[in-house]
Amino acid sequence: MYSSGRVSTLGLLLHLHYRPACYKLKTSRRLHRPLICEVLIRHHASSAEVVKEQPTLEWDLPEKNYTSNLCSQKPTYISEHQGEPVDSDVNTYAGLLQGCTNVKALKELHASTIVIGLYQNNLIQSKLVNMYTVYDDLEDARGVFEKIPERNVRLWNTVLRGYSKSGLFDETLRLYYQMRGVNIQLDNFTFPFVLKACAGLSALREGREIHQHAVRIGFDSNVYVSNALIDMYFKCDRANDGRLVFDKMSGRDVASWTVLISGYVLTSHANEALILFYQMQLTDAKPNLVTIISVLPACVQLGILQYGKWIHGYVIASGLGMDVSLGNSLVAMYAKCGSIELARRVFDEMAERDVVSWNAMIAGYSQNGRPNKSLRLFRQMQMENLKANSVTSVSMLAVCAHLGALQQEIAEKLFGTMPVRNVVSWSSMIAGYAQNGLANEALALFNQMQLTAVKPNPITIVTVLSACAHIGALEQGQRIHDCIIRSGFESDVSVGTALIDMYAKCGNIEMARQLFDRITNKDVVSWSAMIAGYGIHGHGKDAIVLFSQMQLTGMRPNDVTFICLLSACSHAGLVVEGWQFFYSMSESYGITPRVKHYACMVDLLGRAGQLDEAYNFIRKMPIQPDAAVWGALLGSCRIYCNFELGKYAAEHLFELNPENVGYYVLLSNIYAAAGRWEDVAKMRTRVKYSGLRKTPGCSFIEIDNKVHAFRVGDNSHPQSENIYAMLEALSGQMAEAGYVPNTDSVLHDVEEEVKEHLLSSHSEKLAIAFGLINTSSGTPIRITKNLRVCGDCHNATKYISKIVKREIIVRDANRFHHFKEGLCSCGDYW
């Protein structure tokens, strides 16, 4: 057997060798009969490779009809000078070509037609063009096509169909205009192929021109052409034009209704899709399985489970049956509508399941907050020896991201074994790292992605910017900003909003505002992000001014906007304004306050020292207070050393969220400040026997595009010796300037000297010393800390900023602190 790559050469050699004999022989029987036998043997020997029928959408039926029409052509005779082979030989070869089950056999038959002189026969040429397009070998199809001197509309349509089916839409349109240029009489099969190309390219102008041409030659009333026009208009975002075509149709089939329903779903007009589905049932064109699969996403868009149940009930009542595609669609619909139990029931009852079925169920569990069940189902899938595909891998990457660091190893293994990594898989893996606090790993993977041929999309960019924001990696964020400009993503509103968030959280609020002002199509998320940015920098009044500007533009705030606004008031101590915004939510905008809004109000009152008002506010809440509400009260009690109320809040927290060690630490701080060391020891014992571990303080600083992390008492850094020498020198200068260590936050009953030593190696101080060593004089130092900055470090950083004459920008878990000339932007209100 010759490889498919050598068939053309073989055919040419045989053709040159045997053609003289063909001219001499009165009949070709002696030559081509043995060849037929040989080709038959080879053809059947290679028939194990069975072609899979391509799934056909209902409005693509003209393609199917066209193919069957082409295959039914009667054989024609070859010219006299080619040896006049008998009619039965033409029929035999035509049948063999039509029955080819792989492209290798097809090429061998093609070669043999050249050898025996059948190649110029019209039927043989048509079969060759048709079969090459069936196997997506469009280069050979076009090669045969171009050598045919007289090409009828059927041949042109065959090549158009091949290009359109393969997604080569530009080539489809070029061939169509070439066809028009040689005055080929178009038929009703021509238009669906070229309109599909217009839809794929969103080429509205060309689509309209083709529509007008169809009207001029009288094919606009053809049902197949009309269905293709509806599809084209919807995919070019012209829903009204598509509906107009539908309304003008004198005869509509099932595909007409289905393509219109699908168009409305595509353009997020779910209500219209469901109304049409109901109206369709009142006609003779009853919904089929494709219609059902097309309408189910409308239920997801509306988030109304009852509609999905109604459609499922219709399937059962009408006896449509259940194939694997419909089962997959029902599983996805139930899962996305929040009914994971019904999704699993459909999944379990499916007689046949493919990899899409498993993917839908795995993703469904993940979307409904059950990542552990996703993981168990994935392992069951492996036990059943069903091969996962790239969608499975991407879904599992998301699952591992939900499960946290414990499953990071699984995610890395999945990602490492993926044969082909597309932008979705890269983005999912980057998101997994970012969501689990592994920002450095997320950034490293993004850098690795940029070395490949895969280009990041807006989702990738938004994800990696969030990683920069998490650790305050301003330099890397700026580098990604340059990448955004080169890629042309700056006009994308989601990317622009992510840039605002990144710059704000990396301490450059001025740049965040510049980018905000450049966005021409601001949405509510953009406005909310900028308000939140002002809030974490303590610029509460700027946040309020911006909110007023938002109102003047007519942009309606949502519940998240008010969370950002109330938080900004809290950080700036704007109690009166906070009350006004809280009441205006329901009175002016009809937004019912959620528990997060109540938590913001408790934080606002508590930070202002109005602890009794905060407690009474909690008691009068119309909804059950959660851990965020009681946590805000406990934090305020720590600031103002309110022992009794703090203990009361802590008991609620221990009941609501007993595994959060931070609440035990806060209560311990209150005990320590009151000198109740016995109670501090009890808290420590309680934490120990509960198996809880305190989150260690960690501070990050970025130098030369590399993020360095420091923990309390850290000696692991290569420059540790110089860092501690710098701190020693600073401590002497600070003492001379009047600095006295604040040991209230040390949770150990030890001598003051020991407490001072413990304070001197806090992570933010180590990061500041490292920054002073490795940056030039006058350069701002930017630090990000994962916990709230302690009172002593806050005071010490004010002294350091004055001594070294540098601006030191610290972002802790709550807000920004800009230290300059011995003062902090928070005004010691944090």
Side-chain angles (χ1 to χ4, degrees), residues 266-339:
L266 177 70
T267 54
S268 300
H269 293 95
N271 280 317
E272 288 83 348
L274 288 167
I275 290 168
L276 270 172
F277 180 73
Y278 174 76
Q279 293 173 344
M280 182 181 181
Q281 295 172 56
L282 305 178
T283 70
D284 293 332
K286 301 300 181 186
N288 61 15
L289 290 179
V290 178
T291 315
I292 302 298
I293 292 169
S294 299
V295 77
L296 282 173
C299 308
V300 176
Q301 289 177 10
L302 294 173
I304 301 178
L305 176 64
Q306 200 60 38
Y307 288 167
K309 288 181 176 180
W310 167 58
I311 294 170
H312 190 180
Y314 173 84
V315 172
I316 297 169
S318 60
L320 281 174
M322 178 78 69
D323 68 0
V324 67
S325 296
L326 178 57
N328 295 342
S329 298
L330 284 168
V331 169
M333 181 276 295
Y334 279 126
K336 290 175 181 177
C337 286
S339 181

Side-chain angles (χ1 to χ4, degrees), residues 422-492:
N422 59 17
V423 67
V424 177
S425 51
W426 281 98
S427 300
S428 298
M429 192 65 202
I430 291 168
Y433 281 132
Q435 290 171 17
N436 286 290
L438 301 171
N440 278 319
E441 287 81 354
L443 292 170
L445 192 63
F446 177 73
N447 293 336
Q448 184 182 337
M449 178 185 180
Q450 290 186 297
L451 299 175
T452 71
V454 181
K455 301 298 180 186
N457 63 14
I459 296 173
T460 321
I461 296 296
V462 168
T463 302
V464 78
L465 284 173
S466 72
C468 294
H470 180 70
I471 56 174
L474 179 61
E475 292 176 18
Q476 295 198 54
Q478 290 170 329
R479 186 167 56 82
I480 294 166
H481 189 177
D482 293 337
C483 172
I484 291 167
I485 294 170
R486 290 194 302 271
S487 303
F489 292 145
E490 200 171 21
S491 60
D492 186 291

Side-chain angles (χ1 to χ4, degrees), residues 4-15:
S4 60
R6 296 170 59 190
V7 168
S8 296
T9 305
L10 168 67
L12 180 60
L13 289 172
L14 288 171
H15 180 56

Side-chain angles (χ1 to χ4, degrees), residues 723-741 756-757 759-761 765 768-769 772 792 796-797 799-800 803-804:
I723 290 169
Y724 281 100
M726 171 64 76
L727 286 175
E728 185 69 26
L730 285 172
S731 64
Q733 294 174 281
M734 289 159 61
E736 291 178 7
Y739 163 73
V740 177
E756 291 175 14
H757 175 73
L759 290 171
S760 68
S761 59
K765 290 176 182 170
I768 290 170
L772 291 171
D792 178 71
T797 307
Y799 278 94
I800 294 172
I803 291 167
V804 300

Side-chain angles (χ1 to χ4, degrees), residues 39 117 146 207-208 297 319 338 346 373 475 489 536 544 592 641 685 693 700 712 719 745 788 794 807:
V39 170
E146 292 293 345
R208 286 192 190 281
V346 173
K373 288 202 171 185
E475 292 176 18
F489 292 145
I536 60 175
I544 292 172
T592 303
C641 299
T685 301
R693 297 185 64 182
F700 305 92
V712 60
Q719 296 186 37
S745 58
R788 182 183 184 275
H794 187 271
E807 182 180 9

Side-chain angles (χ1 to χ4, degrees), residues 493-601:
V493 67
S494 61
V495 172
T497 302
L499 278 170
I500 292 168
D501 182 66
M502 183 275 293
Y503 276 111
K505 289 179 178 176
C506 288
N508 194 339
I509 192 66
E510 296 79 13
M511 186 62 185
R513 181 56 194 258
Q514 287 179 33
L515 289 169
F516 173 80
D517 291 336
R518 289 182 204 166
I519 298 177
T520 55
N521 54 336
K522 300 181 185 73
D523 60 10
V524 67
V525 182
S526 311
W527 288 93
S528 300
M530 194 65 234
I531 291 170
Y534 277 135
I536 60 175
H537 282 267
H539 301 168
K541 291 184 178 178
D542 289 329
I544 292 172
V545 170
L546 188 65
F547 179 71
S548 299
Q549 293 173 358
M550 178 183 180
Q551 291 174 301
L552 292 174
T553 66
M555 179 65 68
R556 188 174 180 82
N558 60 17
D559 60 327
V560 176
T561 311
F562 280 101
I563 290 172
C564 299
L565 197 57
L566 291 172
S567 178
C569 291
S570 176
H571 288 304
L574 303 174
V575 177
V576 174
E577 292 86 346
W579 275 117
Q580 291 172 348
F581 290 127
F582 181 78
Y583 286 127
S584 72
M585 283 179 62
S586 54
E587 293 174 1
S588 302
Y589 297 98
I591 299 173
T592 303
R594 295 189 289 117
V595 69
K596 287 186 178 181
H597 300 99
Y598 286 99
C600 287
M601 286 303 298

